[in-house]
Amino acid sequence: MRTVGTHGVLLFILFLVVGGLLGGILGDILSGVSFGNLLPVFSQHYEIFNIQNVDLNLYIMEIKFGIRFAPNLLSIIGILIALFVFRHIG
């Protein structure tokens, strides 16, 4: 994997995000299809980390921060495929 400067890193992150999004969308689409007992495994979300909302009150505005990462199995497979494709493109 050859990365030159920040462009390679940004392209790598873009590949991972797009792979995860496409896998997540596919998992949500397949969750409505009844095809045996296998599909619920692909559409079930697995919470990896969850940072609860943190409130910052600055008296003129209030800011809330929070991050939740709970991909389904197809999102993880999409990320792995994106990693494989990125490694073979560059």
Side-chain angles (χ1 to χ4, degrees):
M1 178 171 74
R2 285 181 272 162
T3 58
V4 180
T6 58
H7 293 295
V9 173
L10 292 175
L11 186 62
F12 177 69
I13 291 171
L14 179 68
F15 265 75
L16 293 182
V17 168
V18 169
L21 285 175
L22 291 177
I25 291 170
L26 183 63
D28 284 342
I29 289 171
L30 291 178
S31 69
V33 176
S34 84
F35 188 71
N37 295 332
L38 186 62
L39 287 181
V41 173
F42 288 121
S43 63
Q44 179 182 357
H45 291 273
Y46 301 97
E47 188 168 312
I48 294 177
F49 67 86
N50 186 8
I51 299 173
Q52 297 294 324
N53 287 341
V54 176
D55 296 331
L56 179 62
N57 189 354
L58 300 174
Y59 295 107
I60 58 171
M61 76 173 110
E62 186 174 333
I63 303 173
K64 296 184 181 198
F65 300 100
I67 298 174
R68 180 175 182 252
F69 183 62
N72 59 21
L73 189 59
L74 285 177
S75 292
I76 295 170
I77 292 171
I79 290 171
L80 293 175
I81 290 172
L83 176 65
F84 178 77
V85 169
F86 181 77
R87 288 185 59 120
H88 288 295
I89 285 177

